[in-house]
Amino acid sequence: MQNWMEWAVAFFLLLGGCFVLIGSIGLVRMPDFFMRLHGPTKATTLGMGGILLGSIFYFSMSPETLSVHEMLITIFLLITAPVSAHMLIKAALHHRLKAVDQTQGEQELKRGQAFASKEGNRSDSTDD
């Protein structure tokens, strides 16, 4: 393997590892659910992207095989992370989870909870 490619692989692995570590620390340290969701969805997604980029560079140097596994994993990760975060937030709004006082965007939180309860009442009142 060429020397510059080894440096690129090492750089992306370290960068991705740092993002994953920061996202994991954020998951543990944040005080409420709404703040905790930022760690896994943003920093960890970037970290996995860096690790996968390092893996793509590493396996692209092997002449005998063409590996598309990393690209499929990257596409799957970039599609599923925002969708799962959106579903978790919608469930938290529906269950009216309390946020700490330092959480910014209280008006949006209350508006979302009111909208979720209005939708819940609407679906309960319909008789099909």
Side-chain angles (χ1 to χ4, degrees):
M1 187 181 294
Q2 298 166 342
N3 193 21
W4 66 272
M5 188 60 82
E6 291 175 359
W7 281 100
V9 169
F11 172 75
F12 283 116
L13 288 178
L14 288 174
L15 184 71
C18 288
F19 273 114
V20 169
L21 179 66
I22 290 169
S24 300
I25 291 171
L27 177 66
V28 173
R29 302 258 324 178
M30 296 292 179
D32 70 343
F33 176 79
F34 299 102
M35 289 185 199
R36 279 189 189 136
L37 195 60
H38 290 287
T41 57
K42 291 184 179 43
T44 307
T45 302
L46 282 173
M48 289 304 298
I51 291 170
L52 286 167
L53 217 66
S55 179
I56 288 170
F57 284 159
Y58 179 77
F59 287 111
S60 69
M61 292 304 291
S62 113
E64 65 271 356
T65 61
L66 176 65
S67 178
V68 293
H69 296 93
E70 291 84 9
M71 290 303 291
L72 293 174
I73 292 169
T74 304
I75 291 168
F76 180 74
L77 178 74
L78 292 177
I79 290 173
T80 57
V83 172
S84 63
H86 179 74
M87 296 304 290
L88 285 169
I89 287 292
K90 292 291 274 186
L93 289 174
H94 181 73
H95 289 288
R96 297 183 182 173
L97 288 181
K98 298 294 180 193
V100 296
D101 294 332
Q102 294 88 11
T103 301
Q104 296 179 357
E106 262 184 74
Q107 294 84 11
E108 289 83 8
L109 179 64
K110 289 178 184 174
R111 191 178 319 134
Q113 288 174 343
F115 182 73
S117 67
K118 194 184 308 180
E119 275 189 353
N121 291 338
R122 192 178 314 149
S123 65
D124 292 341
S125 64
T126 59
D127 295 326
D128 290 339

